[in-house]
Amino acid sequence: MLTLTQLELHNFRSYSQFSLEEIGPLTIFIGNNAVGKTNLIEAIQLLTAASSFRHPLISQMVKWGESEARLNGLITGDGRHLDVQLQMTGHSKKFSLNGNRKKAVDFMGTLPSVVFTPDDLQLVKGPSSLRRRSLDALGCQLSRNHYLISKDYEKVVQHKNKLLKEGADPLLLESVNEMLTICGSQLIAYRAALAHRFFPVIEQRYREIADGEEAAVIYAPLGDYGEGEELVSKSRDELREALAKKLVAALPQEMARGKSLVGPHGDKINFQVKGMPAADFASQGQQRSLVLAEKLAEVAMVEEVLHVKPVLLLDDVMSELDGDRRRAILNYINQDVQTFITTTHLEYFESSLLESARLVHL
């Protein structure tokens, strides 16, 4: 089992320097608000998932007044000894593994992580963009191809939006649409394949948390529910043809509005409880159970696909959950999942768990 056993921060966010050695299975960072607890969670995620849940600019991660930030981690286990480093300067991030430069895509999946923050509690009621981002974040850790195609699609859409704002010639936009069709249909196919495996696990975890209550997660490509559900089962060629037709039909409206309106950046992902849209009808407790079920399902998916236990990062979520939901997530701490928790109080934890934890006061 791979685990993070050392952590060092240099000029990262609020820290000039921070180091932690001989890290064990459970670490709890304790401190008041605004002391930098979340910065530590972000640093660990960057060294494991190679991304940040904050989606920051590189300059935002470098301590004010400094020109460079650096993160170092030591990952050990299964006979392996991996020195991981992330250097952030200007507009660039540079990863290295055992002293050798690596691209983020080459590093992702070595020791994945699952992060749960208070902002995730908006996954159910918030816009579909949050759910798309969450699905893609998991997909990028599980699959190099998912990562590459999502980045390619993002670049094409950005380029198309720039052309639309500049009032580009329709023939040029049609050629861009051809590339968008290729990348977009591939991204939909990857999302659909992941949803087929992932969403039933979320539904199962929800039943376990909610005493057998039924929930569903629905992925509808291209935004339209009825048609979208049918598209999920179509072949790659059929997806490409469907997307191409929608792009042709939408081009006049896109030119009028100066914005790309059709593509997987408009895919819908919605939760249901008892057959009803959770965003409109689920109670706060049901919504929290759905988000918790998704996070626990992410842990299960990483183990199933990559055959490695992920690092679990819980950033100040204990105060947002009631006793039953806290117990549901803390049960996973006893299943050999290395866990880092931030909190302002220790009253949320049973004494037996605290005895097995390393407490770091900030």
Side-chain angles (χ1 to χ4, degrees):
M1 174 180 169
L2 289 175
T3 60
L4 180 69
T5 54
Q6 291 183 21
L7 174 67
E8 292 183 11
L9 283 65
H10 302 273
N11 295 329
F12 179 77
R13 296 284 191 182
S14 59
Y15 291 95
S16 295
Q17 186 154 340
F18 176 90
S19 64
L20 196 64
E21 297 184 351
E22 298 181 356
I23 303 172
L26 173 60
T27 304
I28 301 178
F29 298 113
I30 312 150
N32 295 327
N33 293 324
V35 298
K37 300 188 302 295
T38 299
N39 295 342
L40 295 176
I41 293 295
E42 181 183 31
I44 296 169
Q45 189 189 25
L46 283 164
L47 288 172
T48 52
S51 64
S52 166
F53 61 91
R54 287 168 157 170
H55 308 286
L57 299 173
I58 295 173
S59 59
Q60 294 172 326
M61 295 186 286
V62 179
K63 193 177 189 299
W64 180 257
E66 302 293 340
S67 60
E68 175 184 293
R70 191 174 76 252
L71 302 176
N72 292 84
L74 175 62
I75 297 171
T76 60
D78 299 335
R80 304 170 73 185
H81 187 286
L82 307 174
D83 283 299
V84 183
Q85 183 181 100
L86 170 59
Q87 185 177 8
M88 291 161 278
T89 308
H91 300 289
S92 69
K93 288 192 302 184
K94 297 178 181 178
F95 282 94
S96 65
L97 185 62
N98 290 339
N100 299 313
R101 281 287 303 276
K102 293 285 185 181
K103 296 180 179 178
V105 66
D106 296 324
F107 174 72
M108 295 169 75
T110 303
L111 177 59
S113 60
V114 172
V115 63
F116 187 5
T117 76
D119 288 344
D120 290 323
L121 296 172
Q122 297 300 313
L123 275 172
V124 175
K125 289 196 71 171
S128 259
S129 60
L130 297 178
R131 296 182 284 280
R132 288 193 301 270
R133 180 181 289 173
S134 180
L135 183 68
D136 284 337
L138 175 62
C140 289
Q141 289 201 87
L142 299 180
S143 165
R144 175 189 177 94
N145 288 338
H146 194 132
Y147 174 84
L148 293 173
I149 200 63
S150 64
K151 292 300 180 185
D152 286 346
Y153 179 76
E154 183 180 328
K155 291 176 183 176
V156 174
V157 171
Q158 289 175 348
H159 180 55
K160 181 179 176 180
N161 281 335
K162 183 174 182 290
L163 293 176
L164 285 167
K165 289 177 182 177
E166 294 172 348
D169 186 275
L171 290 177
L172 177 57
L173 290 168
E174 287 176 7
S175 67
V176 173
N177 275 348
E178 291 178 7
M179 181 59 67
L180 193 147
T181 298
I182 295 170
C183 294
S185 60
Q186 289 178 328
L187 181 55
I188 291 172
Y190 283 127
R191 283 178 177 173
L194 178 57
H196 179 73
R197 298 181 67 174
F198 180 43
F199 290 174
V201 184
I202 299 176
E203 294 161 4
Q204 176 186 342
R205 292 292 183 269
Y206 181 82
R207 285 193 296 271
E208 294 169 357
I209 295 168
D211 295 325
E213 187 173 77
E214 292 294 328
V217 194
I218 299 171
Y219 171 49
L222 306 182
D224 188 292
Y225 254 97
E227 181 182 351
E229 290 183 69
E230 293 178 5
L231 283 173
V232 169
S233 61
K234 290 187 179 295
S235 68
R236 190 77 56 90
D237 289 340
E238 289 171 324
L239 283 173
R240 190 179 296 120
E241 182 179 351
L243 178 54
K245 287 180 179 179
K246 282 183 171 288
L247 286 168
V248 169
L251 187 56
Q253 187 180 4
E254 290 180 328
M255 294 179 67
R257 294 182 58 179
K259 181 180 179 181
S260 179
L261 302 174
V262 171
H265 59 284
D267 287 357
K268 299 294 183 183
I269 301 172
N270 282 329
F271 293 94
Q272 292 183 349
V273 174
K274 297 181 179 178
M276 304 291 286
D280 299 319
F281 297 100
S283 68
Q284 188 178 73
Q286 288 171 320
Q287 292 175 35
R288 277 159 164 66
S289 292
L290 282 166
V291 176
L292 176 55
E294 174 168 332
K295 294 301 174 181
L296 298 182
E298 286 184 28
V299 174
M301 282 297 299
V302 169
E303 291 190 57
E304 177 186 333
V305 176
L306 299 180
H307 308 293
V308 61
K309 291 181 181 293
V311 173
L312 182 59
L313 306 172
L314 307 177
D315 183 37
D316 200 27
V317 294
M318 294 303 164
S319 60
E320 303 288 340
L321 304 174
D322 61 23
D324 289 341
R325 293 174 183 86
R326 281 199 296 269
R327 281 188 289 274
I329 199 163
L330 291 175
N331 282 340
Y332 269 72
I333 294 175
N334 298 320
Q335 297 182 19
D336 297 327
V337 176
Q338 187 180 30
T339 305
F340 295 84
I341 303 174
T342 69
T343 185
T344 54
H345 302 286
L346 294 178
E347 61 194 34
Y348 308 119
F349 309 97
E350 296 180 358
S351 58
S352 59
L353 184 138
L354 292 176
E355 290 172 0
S356 66
R358 179 174 181 179
L359 308 182
V360 179
H361 294 268
L362 301 172

